[in-house]
Every structure is written in C-alpha cells, then in structure tokens.
Amino acid sequence: MLFLALTLASFVVAGASAGTGVCYGTLGDNLPSSQEVVDLFTQNNILSMRIYNQNPSALQALGGSNIEVVVGVANEDLQGIGASQDSANGWVQANILSHGNVNFKYIAVGNEIQPSDPAANSLVAAMRNIWTAIANAGLGGQIKVSTSVDTGVLDVSYPPSSGTFKSDRMWLLGPIISFLVETQAPLLVNIYPYFSYISNPQDIQLDYALFTSPSVVVQDGSMGYQNLFDAMLDAVYSALERADGGSVRVVVSETGWPSDGGTATSVDNARTYNTNLVSHVKGGTPKRPDQPIETYIFAMFDENQKSPDLEKFWGLFHPDKQPKYPITLN
C-alpha cells in the first residue's frame, strides 16, 4: 500500500494549540513568497496557519517549521473525491504524505458549502474518503478531518441558549455532525461579528461587537454576554446539542474585522477587535467557561484581487510584510 510505505515516525505530531492562528490567503498579486510568509509567522510567534485549497509552495515552506497547519480541500474537488476513494488517496498522498515534516492538524474538506452548491451532495462522502485515507496511513490519531461552515447555518441565534440549525440544512448538517461525533473531530465555524453588526446596527451596539462593552449586554438565564463573539459561538454550541452533537468542539476557523472598504471599517476598529479577540479566546464562553477557544484570524495580508472592496482589507499585515497596527498574537 502506498500509504503504509510512509512511517509514522516521519510525521510531526500536532499537539494542543496555544494562542491564536492566522489564515493565509493568496488572492493578491503583490504578496510575499511562501517562504517569506512562513518566516513572518515564525518571527511573530504565530503558531498556527490555515491555508486554503492546494498550496504546494506553502507546504514546502512549512516543512520543519513546527507551525500547526489547517489545510483545505477545494470545494471544486469535492465531487471527484466523494465519488472515488482512489481520488481521496491521491489527494492525501500529494498534500499530506508527501510533506511528512509539516505539522498538520486539521483537513478542512470544503469551505462554507451551501445546500444549493453542486458539491453539497458529495461533501460527507468526501469527508469520509479523506478520513479513510488518513486512517489507512496510520495518521487518524494526529490529523482530524472536518469542514468549515458559516453562521448562516443557524435558524435561531438569539438568545444563545436557543441556538438551532435551519431545518432545511439538516439533511447536510446531520451527517456531518454524526461523522464528527464518530471521529471525535471539531466543527470548523467561520464567525464574523462584523457582518452581524453591519446587518443590524439598530439592535447591535458597536462596542458589543468589538469586545469593548463595559457590562453585560445580553442576559440569557444565568449566562451573561458582554460580547457578540461569545453569543454567536454559544448559539452554535446550543444548536449542536439539539442536533446530537453535544460532544463536538468548535474551532473558530475564521474571524476578523476589515480596516477599510465598508461600514464601520477602520484601522482602529480592526486593531481593537483583533487585539481584544486574542486576549479573550484564552478563556472560554459563558456556556463553556473553562475551555480556551481555538481561533484563526482572517487574514495575514490584504488581498487586492478579491472583490468587492470590503473583502480586500482584512490583513494584519500589508503585502510588504509591515504590520498594519501593533498586535501580539501569542
């Protein structure tokens, strides 16, 4: 077997994450090389990286760095991988087994797949086929397989204890949750208080979204919420409990605040949100108070090939590798 030819000894074991990771997107024509990016992560003590889709140059640069890595399976690849174990084996060989000195932690099979997407019917099969390939390689105890969803999967999010998934999503979410329970893998969730705030500024105060509210804003039974991030995350946990997924941990696979391009965007707001986030996630939420929140900030750089303009300005760093504002991640 191709997979068994590689020994477990050649793989770095991913441990528990400490601190906050950062998403490394590449939709810009002025970004540093992958090696420069990995060096920048190391220089700034950023211990975890999320990369999207296949990125051979990034994986090459990550070798020996000990940075924990979340690697994505592209949405457009899900149908082929879901239909064929051989295709899943090939993906794992090319993107995992060929990079034995990379500290892989999670494989995100698809990003924000919607029920109407052509790949939706293939998502769970693709997750299972990738997991089978990982398990057959003897890496099932080291690398977890999941998918990332957005908070649009929620039907009810307020108050957080009433969190429920949309009933028309459960044909897809139900099997995903069952798989995660079975394999003891987390659900990856992209949580953006920014978008919740700009969609409802009449009812959501900016300080509640930026972690700067001086007191509890939402009292939910015995649980008091002083920031929107916790409320959104706990609504997901409540929804998971109602869907027989109470044992599933949530990893916040994207969050952040843009510095330009739209409502309430400024360098100061971005700095405030991300700085407070880094401090806050060392603790837990009102619902799970003693569990640090594994979190990935979006993103490492501004990306000038994204659209609309709002999507271009989420970076912690400018493309010339200069920080947009001072921030200590770990």
Side-chain angles (χ1 to χ4, degrees):
M1 290 285 293
L2 185 60
F3 298 107
L4 297 181
L6 280 99
T7 63
L8 289 183
S10 67
F11 280 83
V12 181
V13 178
S17 274
T20 304
V22 179
C23 302
Y24 168 33
T26 57
L27 294 178
D29 61 10
N30 56 354
L31 299 179
S33 70
S34 294
Q35 187 60 61
E36 290 177 285
V37 173
V38 170
D39 291 344
L40 193 60
F41 268 70
T42 301
Q43 290 158 14
N44 287 275
N45 198 30
I46 304 171
L47 307 177
S48 305
M49 176 190 291
R50 181 182 180 187
I51 60 176
Y52 297 85
N53 307 340
Q54 297 183 50
N55 191 333
S57 64
L59 294 177
Q60 185 73 26
L62 282 160
S65 70
N66 212 38
I67 294 170
E68 291 186 334
V69 178
V70 183
V71 61
V73 178
N75 291 359
E76 57 267 26
D77 292 339
L78 298 186
Q79 287 173 294
I81 289 172
S84 166
Q85 185 62 54
D86 284 345
S87 292
N89 294 349
W91 189 96
V92 167
Q93 176 63 41
N95 295 282
I96 305 294
L97 300 183
S98 295
H99 301 279
N101 59 348
V102 174
N103 191 1
F104 292 107
K105 189 169 191 186
Y106 307 124
I107 299 173
V109 182
N111 183 51
E112 297 185 352
I113 294 291
Q114 305 300 312
S116 58
D117 292 345
N121 287 315
S122 303
L123 175 56
V124 176
M127 292 171 72
R128 288 197 171 275
N129 286 348
I130 291 288
W131 171 247
T132 296
I134 289 293
N136 286 346
L139 297 171
Q142 298 176 37
I143 303 171
K144 296 298 184 182
V145 174
S146 187
T147 188
S148 60
V149 301
D150 57 48
T151 51
V153 297
L154 292 171
D155 184 26
V156 177
S157 60
Y158 180 87
S161 63
S162 296
T164 1
F165 292 125
K166 291 175 177 174
S167 57
D168 63 357
R169 302 286 184 98
M170 286 309 297
W171 69 268
L172 183 57
L173 287 171
I176 289 170
I177 293 165
S178 296
F179 170 81
L180 299 177
V181 170
E182 174 190 334
T183 61
Q184 298 181 315
L187 179 64
L188 309 182
V189 184
N190 300 337
I191 293 181
Y192 284 103
Y194 171 76
F195 288 116
S196 295
Y197 166 70
I198 65 169
S199 69
N200 189 14
Q202 307 95 308
D203 297 323
I204 299 174
Q205 297 299 309
L206 183 60
D207 61 357
Y208 184 53
L210 289 174
F211 297 95
T212 56
S213 174
S215 58
V216 168
V217 174
V218 172
Q219 192 67 44
D220 183 8
S222 62
M223 297 181 293
Y225 289 86
Q226 206 166 330
N227 66 81
L228 182 55
F229 177 88
D230 279 353
M232 295 172 73
L233 179 51
D234 275 355
V236 175
Y237 272 124
S238 295
L240 280 167
E241 289 170 0
R242 288 186 169 87
D244 298 322
S247 65
V248 175
R249 183 172 62 93
V250 172
V251 169
V252 179
S253 46
E254 289 181 13
T255 191
W257 198 281
S259 61
D260 201 354
T263 304
T265 62
S266 68
V267 170
D268 190 56
N269 282 350
R271 177 193 57 78
T272 299
Y273 179 84
N274 286 324
T275 300
N276 289 334
L277 171 81
V278 169
S279 175
H280 179 75
V281 298
K282 294 173 184 175
T285 67
K287 190 173 181 65
R288 304 207 175 185
D290 300 317
Q291 298 181 19
I293 306 160
E294 187 177 349
T295 301
Y296 294 79
I297 293 177
F298 188 88
M300 192 65 173
F301 300 104
D302 287 351
E303 297 174 67
N304 65 2
Q305 291 178 315
K306 301 186 82 170
S307 61
D309 273 0
L310 177 64
E311 297 291 331
K312 300 180 193 291
F313 301 108
W314 293 76
L316 298 175
F317 290 82
H318 296 291
D320 64 3
K321 301 187 288 185
Q322 295 305 303
K324 195 179 289 184
Y325 43 81
I327 185 169
T328 301
L329 285 137
N330 298 298

